[in-house]
Amino acid sequence: MANTSKYELVGSIDSSAGATITQHADRESEFSDLIRQLIASQNRQNALLQEVVNQLSAAQRQRSFELAQWRRANPELAQSCKAAAESLGKIQSTLLSNLAFEIDASFEDLQDSEYMLNDFFDKYGPRISHLNTLLQTLSILGNAPDFGGTISNP
């Protein structure tokens, strides 16, 4: 009897080792499948990102082309816009300097008084907003890239 149990023990060890090897192989197979799925997913994401980049760059190229056409059609106006943007840039610097000085000089009042803070925003907010909008528009029109005739209409 003792010999029979000895063989049964060896047989059970061999079968459990085989089951462990099979389970390990199954896990490796599942792992490989997951890696393949991840790679496929990454490839799809890369393709989608490339499509987004192409769309965005096409829109940017179209916009640059249209600005260049406008600039060729209106060279004097483009130069005037560039000069006006430079002048407004100086005005903007002065306004920002005054704003910074006023903040520094009346920081305590602005911090403590809702009325003073609202008055400050009313005084500088619209000016800076409008000035930035004008400056951006003039800068874009005055500094539009000049492609000459080298770019075809997309």
Side-chain angles (χ1 to χ4, degrees):
M1 280 264 182
N3 288 343
T4 307
S5 65
K6 183 177 181 184
Y7 290 117
E8 287 176 14
L9 181 61
V10 171
S12 69
I13 290 175
D14 288 343
S15 64
S16 71
T20 304
I21 291 172
T22 305
Q23 288 175 349
H24 184 66
D26 288 343
R27 286 186 185 147
E28 282 184 5
S29 176
E30 288 177 23
F31 184 72
S32 296
D33 289 342
L34 287 173
I35 293 294
R36 280 189 210 92
Q37 290 173 6
L38 281 172
I39 290 171
S41 176
Q42 284 291 321
N43 287 337
R44 284 192 302 272
Q45 285 180 347
N46 288 341
L48 288 172
L49 285 173
Q50 186 61 45
E51 195 172 317
V52 167
V53 166
N54 290 340
Q55 290 294 322
L56 292 175
S57 63
Q60 182 63 33
R61 281 192 308 271
Q62 177 67 28
R63 183 171 182 253
S64 294
F65 178 78
E66 290 170 357
L67 281 171
Q69 279 185 321
W70 180 87
R71 188 173 181 175
R72 282 192 304 277
N74 304 289
E76 296 86 18
L77 185 54
Q79 279 304 109
S80 295
C81 287
K82 186 175 184 174
E86 290 171 2
S87 298
L88 276 179
K90 293 175 186 173
I91 292 170
Q92 183 186 40
S93 295
T94 302
L95 182 62
L96 290 173
S97 176
N98 291 342
L99 178 138
F101 177 77
E102 188 166 332
I103 289 173
D104 191 42
S106 60
F107 176 74
E108 300 273 328
D109 294 334
L110 292 172
Q111 190 175 20
D112 295 338
S113 171
E114 186 74 23
Y115 174 79
M116 292 293 290
L117 187 61
N118 286 334
D119 186 53
F120 175 80
F121 285 136
D122 288 343
K123 180 178 179 180
Y124 285 105
R127 287 184 194 174
I128 289 178
S129 178
H130 296 307
L131 182 60
N132 286 340
T133 301
L134 287 172
L135 189 56
Q136 182 179 18
T137 302
L138 291 171
S139 294
I140 289 170
L141 295 175
N143 294 314
D146 189 9
F147 292 115
T150 60
I151 292 187
S152 61
N153 192 357

